[in-house]
Amino acid sequence: MTDVGIDAVEFRTGKLKLDLAETFAEEKDDDPAKYTKGLGLHASSFPDAYEDIVTMAANAAKRLMDRRDLQPQDIGRIDVATESAFDHSKPVSTYVAGCLEQVYDTNFHHANKGERKFACISGTQSVDDAVNWIAAGKNRDRAALVIATDTALYERGDSGEATQGAGAVAMLIDEDPDVVTIEPEQGFGSADETDFLKPNQQFPSVDGKRSMQVYLMRMREALEDLEMQRDTHPDDFALVPFHTPFPGMVRKAAALGYRHVARNTDVEEELAEEIGRQPRPEAFDDEETYRDALKEYTDKLTETDTYQEWYGRAIEPTLEISAQVGNWYTGSVHVARLAGLKHARENGLDFDNRELLVCSYGSGAQAEIHTETVQPGWEEEIAQLSVDNQLVERYDISWDQYEQIHDVHNHDETTDVDAFTTPEDEFVFDGWGRMGERKYTYVE
Ligand code: HMG
């Protein structure tokens, strides 16, 4: 099969920042460590009054196309993944194409456009669709543009409020990619769950604690499914990027994943002297005692130097951006991959031809775990990103300003709030059209 995968990537954060320790915790009268240590989050990104899922997506896509000197006719497909869409019929990809056509001389009239929905996992599903389209030989030498874009807002006062975020990740999917190839083996864990959903409503109904259990159960199933297709070992993977609703969730998932992957390997044997071997179900009379023993083993495992060295190398770097921007829903696992590669570049790590284990997840619920192989062009591509500048330049909002901006993006509120930042060289939301559609212009 031809090598297909991510050839280029772009990152676009919402331009406002809510500091969780300084502003959110203070207002809620909470210990800041609940957010910075417990959830592992320092700040959330929010869109300014003129930003939304379309502007963030279009701005990411434009920067990617300009960097790669692409024209609309080079793109055969635009897939947008989002769970923040404002239209039940017209896909966000058409709005994005409309924006881009304002600034390029040609158009995307021969590109197939769509919108994918399955909570946060639809970003990865869109990448899969694009890879399959190219692998099937239907692309006529054109690439696919996949954009994961979300304004991940919760109702004010909801348990998820601290985990909000907003931003877009654009990815160019093509043959002989520069960043990673997507390998064909995929493990799935999927079940009909009601842990997080938006039945005809903007903000999610969430059973927060249960959503964490469901995340872990589906991840375990996906890993089991992958292991039916290939062997795994903790040392196989340079990075393990997870869907990151907040880093504390990944802390739990990583321990479970490591325990699983280390079972029946030399790693389990080497650790046996220190913490014993992993409990096996056949040694227990009932499920509950087995689960208790597993928990006890996992707690000891995460204290070992072996585990901590692995966590610091394969997981921690993937959380560095999420901790500063919050949950980007469909973009979250792609932010995690990007963060890990950015860390590797900044630390001079040789990742050429190394494998990544990419663990995606969407509530409702489904996990997908697949492997990717880092390509020799990755460093040059990652060097082009402006992540640090974008994060530093965010406008730090006060609590009052947070309340205002939350209302601006609440579809049930009508507000008239001035933007906190000044747009420059970017697409902006510009009011409503005659059929209730959102309108956009490019501001020089
Ligand atoms: P909560 O009840 O506010 O927080 O909500 P908590 O009391 O459980 O505390 C959080 C952690 O901080 C705990 O750590 C505390 O111990 C710790 P843990 O015990 O779990 O390891 N803590 C402290 N640590 C240090 N110093 C302190 C301190 N105080 C507490 N002083 C909850 C947490 C996740 C429920 C909430 O944020 C929520 O509802 N979030 C939204 C749902 C969510 O993100 N679920 C994650 C899995 S589902 C998913 O990822 C899919 C999703 O992205 C949607 C999609 O797919 O579309 C959400």
Side-chain angles (χ1 to χ4, degrees):
M1 196 183 100
T2 326
D3 284 339
V4 184
I6 303 174
D7 191 40
V9 63
E10 260 305 331
F11 169 95
R12 180 78 183 196
T13 178
K15 290 167 78 173
L16 307 181
K17 166 189 156 185
L18 177 68
D19 192 296
L20 291 174
E22 299 278 322
T23 311
F24 192 86
E26 172 155 330
E27 176 65 27
K28 301 272 174 186
D29 204 15
D30 278 336
D31 180 352
K34 171 177 174 181
Y35 304 102
T36 54
K37 294 208 163 61
L39 295 178
L41 284 171
H42 294 263
S44 306
S45 286
F46 286 89
D48 205 338
Y50 56 85
E51 293 185 290
D52 66 12
I53 50 171
V54 172
T55 66
M56 294 186 296
N59 286 317
K62 179 174 183 300
R63 189 166 194 272
L64 184 151
M65 288 181 63
D66 288 349
R67 274 208 292 111
R68 287 302 184 106
D69 201 17
L70 294 169
Q71 295 298 315
Q73 62 271 21
D74 300 320
I75 306 292
R77 191 179 167 109
I78 306 179
D79 292 302
V80 170
T82 186
E83 51 179 299
S84 324
F86 46 77
D87 193 317
H88 289 302
S89 174
K90 184 174 153 59
V92 170
S93 50
T94 59
Y95 286 94
V96 171
C99 285
L100 295 170
E101 285 170 1
Q102 294 178 32
V103 295
Y104 294 104
D105 292 335
T106 52
N107 61 51
F108 294 94
H109 288 196
H110 297 300
N112 185 6
K113 306 180 190 92
E115 185 176 307
R116 255 282 192 176
K117 180 182 73 179
F118 192 153
C120 301
I121 201 172
S122 64
T124 296
Q125 290 179 318
S126 301
V127 171
D128 290 343
D129 291 344
V131 168
N132 293 341
W133 171 70
I134 295 173
K138 294 181 170 180
N139 59 319
R140 291 182 271 146
D141 282 335
R142 295 171 303 167
L145 190 56
V146 170
I147 313 168
T149 182
D150 270 300
T151 297
L153 292 184
Y154 288 78
E155 197 142 16
R156 298 282 316 286
D158 187 281
S159 67
E161 195 178 8
T163 69
Q164 298 176 114
V169 179
M171 290 166 277
L172 190 73
I173 309 299
D174 207 351
E175 293 174 44
D176 298 323
D178 278 349
V179 184
V180 290
T181 51
I182 313 272
E183 305 305 333
E185 297 85 9
Q186 295 169 303
F188 290 97
S190 191
D192 177 11
E193 299 279 3
T194 44
D195 54 328
F196 171 110
L197 54 158
K198 301 180 183 174
N200 282 326
Q201 63 197 45
Q202 182 188 4
F203 301 128
S205 298
V206 194
D207 183 343
K209 300 288 179 205
R210 175 151 172 73
S211 75
M212 296 167 72
Q213 292 308 319
V214 175
Y215 178 116
L216 296 176
M217 285 191 290
R218 305 285 80 86
M219 243 357 141
R220 194 193 64 226
E221 274 176 2
L223 195 50
E224 286 164 353
D225 195 31
L226 182 78
E227 284 171 346
M228 284 194 255
Q229 300 162 66
R230 57 160 287 167
D231 290 337
T232 51
H233 184 284
D235 295 342
D236 285 349
F237 306 107
L239 295 170
V240 185
F242 274 93
H243 166 59
T244 311
F246 52 93
M249 182 72 240
V250 175
R251 204 162 51 223
K252 294 179 202 297
L256 183 148
Y258 186 89
R259 191 187 72 214
H260 209 278
V261 169
R263 193 173 302 153
N264 296 325
T265 67
D266 53 326
V267 174
E268 183 184 13
E269 290 311 319
E270 279 160 26
L271 285 169
E273 220 167 280
E274 197 179 340
I275 57 170
R277 292 186 77 235
Q278 298 194 21
R280 305 301 204 261
E282 52 277 14
F284 294 84
D285 291 336
D286 59 77
E287 177 76 15
E288 202 184 327
T289 335
Y290 169 57
R291 295 260 151 239
D292 289 347
L294 262 188
K295 182 170 180 324
E296 196 182 324
Y297 176 88
T298 311
D299 288 346
K300 285 194 223 152
L301 174 69
T302 56
E303 294 299 314
T304 62
D305 290 347
T306 307
Y307 180 83
Q308 288 183 4
E309 183 278 323
W310 171 81
Y311 189 89
R313 169 180 72 69
I315 303 286
E316 233 162 49
T318 69
L319 306 176
E320 286 176 0
I321 300 177
S322 298
Q324 301 301 330
V325 302
N327 191 355
W328 284 13
Y329 285 163
T330 55
S332 159
V333 68
H334 307 289
V335 168
R337 179 201 295 104
L338 194 157
L341 293 176
K342 176 173 175 291
H343 173 95
R345 192 189 83 82
E346 287 164 359
N347 288 277
L349 304 180
D350 180 6
F351 269 21
D352 286 8
N353 302 312
R354 293 293 312 275
E355 276 192 298
L356 312 182
L357 187 69
V358 179
C359 307
S360 304
Y361 178 75
S363 284
Q366 182 160 303
E368 179 201 310
I369 303 187
H370 69 248
T371 57
E372 300 179 356
T373 308
V374 181
Q375 298 301 302
W378 71 277
E379 272 187 276
E380 208 174 308
E381 174 60 22
I382 298 299
Q384 308 292 318
L385 293 168
S386 61
V387 176
D388 293 335
N389 281 350
Q390 289 188 47
L391 295 185
V392 168
E393 282 169 12
R394 285 178 300 174
Y395 177 90
D396 200 349
I397 48 178
S398 66
W399 183 260
D400 285 353
Q401 291 169 332
Y402 161 65
E403 290 186 314
Q404 291 170 28
I405 207 70
H406 197 282
D407 282 352
V408 166
H409 296 290
N410 181 341
H411 299 169
D412 293 333
E413 299 279 345
T414 312
T415 50
D416 188 17
V417 174
D418 287 339
F420 299 107
T421 60
T422 307
E424 199 183 333
D425 294 335
E426 63 193 291
F427 296 104
V428 297
F429 168 65
D430 191 26
W432 305 90
R434 71 184 170 93
M435 291 175 73
E437 76 275 24
R438 292 173 76 90
K439 309 277 280 179
Y440 299 93
T441 44
Y442 190 76
V443 172
E444 303 274 348

